[in-house]
């Protein structure tokens, strides 16, 4: 099954009640990123030599950026984006890692507003799980093509449980 930004299949995968119930358990209590989660995402960016990194939670129609490194401008101010713009939503709906080596060469992403506005060219993301449900993504992004590999996905997969633990701790206050 191929999911593309804005597809009905993507929307259907994101609207399952059990998945949304799991996401709700990790929603942040405040608009500010807790220090341990911020330190974690800064470390992820440094470890993977990525100019941008993030932890997202994907609701039915919104991608919430709960922690970011290197993300600025309108995206940082908004704290997220429509889910159909977010590669993280594809990660969640497929419940599988996603590696995009060049968004400009990928027909599913060439007209994506996020790509067109921000210039994202490379993306690597893995699902975050709670209660057996994919709830968000741990990802790295770059404005240059072909910056990430399967090794990066393996590292992100190893780090994903720590991201979930930090999200859970922040949601409990």
């Amino acid at each position: 099954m191929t999911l593309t930004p804005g597809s009905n299949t993507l929307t259907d995968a994101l609207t399952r009640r059990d998945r949304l119930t799991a996401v709700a358990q990790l929603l942040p209590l405040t608009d500010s990123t807790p220090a341990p989660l911020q330190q974690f995402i800064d470390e992820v960016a440094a470890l993977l030599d990525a100019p941008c990194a993030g932890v997202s939670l994907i609701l039915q129609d919104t991608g919430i950026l709960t922690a970011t490194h290197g993300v600025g401008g309108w995206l940082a101010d908004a704290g997220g984006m429509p889910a159909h713009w977010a590669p993280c939503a594809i990660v969640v709906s497929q419940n599988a890692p996603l590696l995009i080596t060049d968004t400009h060469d990928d027909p599913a992403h060439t007209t994506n507003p996020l790509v067109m506005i921000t210039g994202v060219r490379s993306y690597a993301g893995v699902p975050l799980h709670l209660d057996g449900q994919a709830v968000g993504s741990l990802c790295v992004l770059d404005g240059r093509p072909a910056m990430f590999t399967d090794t990066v996905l393996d590292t992100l997969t190893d780090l994903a449980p720590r991201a979930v633990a930090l999200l859970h701790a922040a949601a409990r206050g």
Side-chain angles (χ1 to χ4, degrees), residues 13-107:
L14 298 180
T15 59
R16 291 189 332 273
R17 182 180 304 259
D18 50 348
R19 195 193 73 75
L20 291 170
T21 299
V23 173
Q25 294 178 57
L26 298 178
L27 290 173
L29 296 174
T30 68
D31 289 339
S32 62
T33 302
L37 186 57
Q38 186 61 55
Q39 181 179 353
F40 168 75
I41 202 61
D42 292 341
E43 291 170 1
V44 168
L47 176 67
L48 298 174
D49 195 27
C52 298
V55 173
S56 67
L57 292 174
I58 303 297
L59 299 172
Q60 178 174 327
D61 56 3
T62 305
I64 299 172
L65 299 172
T66 58
T68 62
H69 172 92
V71 174
W74 69 270
L75 191 54
D77 292 342
M81 70 200 80
H84 65 276
W85 291 14
C88 296
I90 296 171
V91 170
V92 169
S93 62
Q94 290 183 343
N95 193 18
L98 176 64
L99 180 63
I100 304 171
T101 57
D102 191 348
T103 57
H104 291 192
D105 290 339
D106 187 337

Side-chain angles (χ1 to χ4, degrees), residues 146-164:
M147 295 308 299
F148 306 119
T149 64
D150 287 334
T151 303
V152 169
L153 288 177
D154 293 342
T155 301
L156 290 171
T157 299
D158 291 344
L159 294 169
R162 184 167 166 217
V164 173

